[in-house]
Amino acid sequence: MRSLVRLVAAQFAVDRRVLALAFARMADGIGNSFLVIVIPLYIGSDIVGGTTFGLSESMIIGVILSLFGFFNSSFQPLTGRLSDQTGARKRFVLIGLAGLATTNAVYLFAETYVSLVVIRALQGVSVAFIIPASVALVNELATTQDRGGNMGVYNTFRLVGFGSGPVVAAAVVNAGPYGLPIGGLTVSGFDAAFYIATITAVISFLLVTVLITDPQTTRANAGADLSIPIRDQSGRHLLDPIFTLGVASLFMATSIALFATIQIQVNEHLQQGEVWFGFQFAAFIIAQVLLQTPIGRACDRYGRRPFIVVGMLLLIPTTLSQGYVPTSETMFLARLLQGVAGAMVFAPSLALAGDLAGEGESGSKLSVLTMAFGFGIAIGPLSSGALVGFGFKVPFIFGAVLATLGAILVYTQIEETLEHTQPVPVVGDD
């Protein structure tokens, strides 16, 4: 038991500022993922009214949820570049968390569809301040020897927050109203959820304020050349490696997110209830939480490229099979293995991009990957909603094609960045 505890502790042994940032992202992830569940319920209640611009209620829900992803991803290159130019990562994270806390609180007063659209868009802009600066901070606090492990720890805690929020959110709404011990006041389930989302953002703000400092090298190298080329300037390949990783991340995220908006069709196809769909949806996140850190550590030893290539190859059958699986159990397994594929790609990709980024360039360079991933998460649900009308299998065939293109790109355009790597152990070797 002691050896197991030491092994786990060693996996999470990182710079205390990275750990503090990971906890901060976990806290704001809980509150932000609350809203993924709460907003559709809130829109479906009698509280929200006003003009819908001729759209159905379900379409309004889709627009409001997608706005976050599109605004978040669209602004990340700008905020990443500005954080590079100013060398002020911490300040940008705090601006974003302050905006997130404020917009979470404003939901308490939102009673029209228009107000929800505006708030959700502003939330997307707020988080666009957080993601590039926080990933850049992790990159700059790490070294080539431990960058993958640091990225893995950061992503693990962030996903724990994002994955646990929806589990609690519906229960918080349904258990309301809540009586307060002061003055006999009551708080509705919706208001309680918005309060929790606000409090978690405030906790994150306090953690970053007290525990995070910008590295000296960030400030010293602010204002470097921050352009992102498409063509490989070295001439060895056709495409720039960071641009290639961005395209692969876009394809991966789109393939992963196809599942989210076709709950009705999945349940009908497998003749299952909502509980099974919840398990299947969570399977991807479970695999990510369990594997991000160990895979990040492993890519520090064995190299970034092998994990990225194998992960993209594994993404092809695990995406395609979801259109053909006959039972709820096999769908759960397909989603779990798809999560393994995602874990093999995400932390090593960030680590490889971090290896290639010069000092003072992390915000701009790494925002290419986070922006692409955010766009994929927004495009995936819209794609599956449009394609599922042509047949249940069609969205997953589309996702497998994207995964295939991504695998070809990373195999042909990406080179290893670690100078010294150990050979990957083969099962059965002594």
Side-chain angles (χ1 to χ4, degrees):
M1 177 61 72
R2 289 181 179 177
S3 60
L4 178 62
V5 171
R6 284 196 296 269
L7 178 63
V8 173
Q11 291 290 310
F12 291 92
V14 295
D15 188 296
R16 65 173 182 81
R17 289 172 291 181
V18 173
L19 201 57
L21 194 60
F23 272 108
R25 289 306 317 276
M26 180 176 71
D28 83 69
I30 292 172
N32 199 28
S33 62
F34 248 62
L35 302 176
V36 175
I37 300 298
V38 173
I39 288 176
L41 297 175
Y42 193 59
I43 292 173
S45 69
D46 296 330
I47 301 173
V48 181
T51 180
T52 62
F53 307 101
L55 301 176
S56 65
E57 184 178 277
S58 60
M59 183 58 70
I60 280 287
I61 292 174
V63 168
I64 290 174
L65 292 179
S66 296
L67 272 176
F68 174 87
F70 282 114
F71 272 80
N72 175 18
S73 298
S74 298
F75 278 84
Q76 281 190 43
L78 174 62
T79 57
R81 178 169 297 226
L82 288 174
S83 76
D84 282 343
Q85 291 175 335
T86 60
R89 312 291 191 206
K90 177 179 177 178
R91 186 189 311 160
F92 274 70
V93 175
L94 290 176
I95 290 172
L97 288 171
L100 189 60
T102 302
T103 50
N104 286 342
V106 173
Y107 277 116
L108 294 164
F109 310 100
E111 297 180 351
T112 65
Y113 296 110
V114 173
S115 61
L116 292 178
V117 166
V118 173
I119 294 170
R120 196 61 176 159
L122 290 174
Q123 283 193 310
V125 176
S126 297
V127 175
F129 277 83
I130 300 171
I131 294 176
S134 60
V135 173
L137 260 175
V138 174
N139 185 60
E140 290 161 351
L141 291 169
T143 65
T144 303
Q145 288 71 38
D146 64 6
R147 182 166 285 118
N150 278 259
M151 290 296 182
V153 170
Y154 170 81
N155 284 317
T156 295
F157 281 93
R158 180 181 62 83
L159 286 165
V160 167
F162 187 80
S164 60
V167 176
V168 183
V172 169
V173 172
N174 292 329
Y178 301 90
L180 298 180
I182 303 174
L185 299 175
T186 60
V187 174
S188 72
F190 288 117
D191 286 353
F194 296 140
Y195 279 125
I196 291 172
T198 303
I199 291 169
T200 57
V202 171
I203 291 172
S204 296
F205 185 93
L206 295 175
L207 284 171
V208 173
T209 299
V210 175
L211 300 176
I212 303 298
T213 56
D214 287 321
Q216 291 295 328
T217 54
T218 301
R219 292 190 289 269
N221 291 280
D225 179 16
L226 306 177
S227 60
I228 306 294
I230 296 177
R231 298 291 298 271
D232 184 7
Q233 295 178 327
S234 71
R236 290 192 298 269
H237 299 287
L238 177 64
L239 299 176
D240 177 79
I242 292 181
F243 177 80
T244 301
L245 288 173
V247 175
S249 296
L250 173 68
F251 290 166
M252 178 183 70
T254 302
S255 301
I256 290 165
L258 293 168
F259 191 77
T261 53
I262 54 174
Q263 177 177 352
I264 295 174
Q265 291 86 347
V266 170
N267 291 343
E268 288 179 352
H269 178 74
L270 298 177
Q271 297 183 344
Q272 66 180 21
E274 294 180 357
V275 173
W276 257 118
F277 184 86
F279 279 121
Q280 291 155 0
F281 185 85
F284 178 86
I285 298 175
I286 292 170
Q288 292 278 306
V289 169
L290 293 176
L291 295 175
Q292 282 276 343
T293 297
I295 286 177
R297 294 290 185 194
C299 83
D300 287 332
R301 297 182 64 187
Y302 305 115
R304 326 296 193 197
R305 186 176 181 273
F307 288 93
I308 300 171
V309 172
V310 173
M312 290 301 299
L313 289 173
L314 181 59
L315 187 64
I316 300 168
T318 56
T319 301
L320 182 63
S321 62
Q322 292 175 44
Y324 294 87
V325 292
T327 65
S328 301
E329 292 83 358
T330 49
M331 178 64 86
F332 178 87
L333 179 61
R335 288 283 297 171
L336 191 68
L337 292 174
Q338 193 184 44
V340 174
M344 295 184 76
V345 174
F346 200 58
S349 293
L350 286 172
L352 193 149
D355 293 341
L356 294 172
E359 292 183 346
E361 298 178 349
S362 297
S364 299
K365 304 297 188 186
L366 272 67
S367 70
V368 174
L369 275 66
T370 57
M371 173 194 68
F373 191 85
F375 272 129
I377 293 298
I379 293 170
L382 296 177
S383 300
S384 60
L387 293 173
V388 76
F390 298 99
F392 180 76
K393 301 171 184 176
V394 175
F396 302 107
I397 294 173
F398 171 70
V401 170
L402 292 182
T404 302
L405 293 174
I408 293 171
L409 283 174
V410 297
Y411 184 78
T412 60
Q413 304 297 309
I414 300 297
E415 293 185 3
E416 182 56 58
T417 53
L418 295 186
E419 294 183 3
H420 303 288
T421 63
Q422 299 182 22
V424 178
V426 178
V427 176
D429 284 356
D430 292 332

